[in-house]
Amino acid sequence: MPLKGVRREMARSMTASLKVPQATAMVQAEVTASMELVEELRNRKEFAGLRVSPLLIFAKAACLAISNNPDINSSLDMESEEIILRDQVNLGSPRPPRAG
């Protein structure tokens, strides 16, 4: 996707902002229902032998959210001034875009 107009300027601003010291925010969340789901999944026979953890629940939720919001599943190529939209969700590491 060509990087034009507002998106180009936003990308330039965001890239420039990386030169500024970064900050971290801490958030507390109520996870009782998630922990109940973890226990329920651990007790199901189809999950026998698997390590079911809160991270598994978070990872699945993140993949679903990312797949429903394609702009989140993209990267910026400043050399070609393009936004690279990816057709697969991979929480491990970015894959190079498919040709064609």
Side-chain angles (χ1 to χ4, degrees), residues 33-58 60-61:
S34 296
M35 293 308 297
E36 290 170 354
L37 177 59
V38 167
E39 284 305 313
E40 180 183 325
L41 293 175
R42 284 178 179 163
N43 293 326
R44 294 176 67 168
K45 65 181 178 182
E46 57 265 39
F47 287 88
L50 296 177
R51 182 163 184 248
V52 179
S53 70
L55 182 58
L56 175 74
I57 305 302
F58 174 81
K60 180 63 175 179

Side-chain angles (χ1 to χ4, degrees), residues 5 9 12 15 18 26 30 34 38 41 44 46 48 50-52 59 61 67 69 79 85 88-90 93 100:
E9 294 310 312
R12 286 183 181 153
T15 302
L18 294 174
M26 302 296 276
E30 172 57 49
S34 296
V38 167
L41 293 175
R44 294 176 67 168
E46 57 265 39
L50 296 177
R51 182 163 184 248
V52 179
S67 66
N69 296 280
E79 272 187 35
L85 299 173
Q88 296 180 349
V89 175
N90 182 346
S93 63

Side-chain angles (χ1 to χ4, degrees), residues 18-30:
L18 294 174
K19 297 174 185 170
V20 176
Q22 304 296 306
T24 301
M26 302 296 276
V27 177
Q28 290 185 341
E30 172 57 49

Side-chain angles (χ1 to χ4, degrees), residues 82 84-89 95-100:
E82 290 182 329
I84 309 299
L85 299 173
R86 307 206 183 273
D87 59 353
Q88 296 180 349
V89 175
R95 292 183 183 170
R98 285 188 178 175

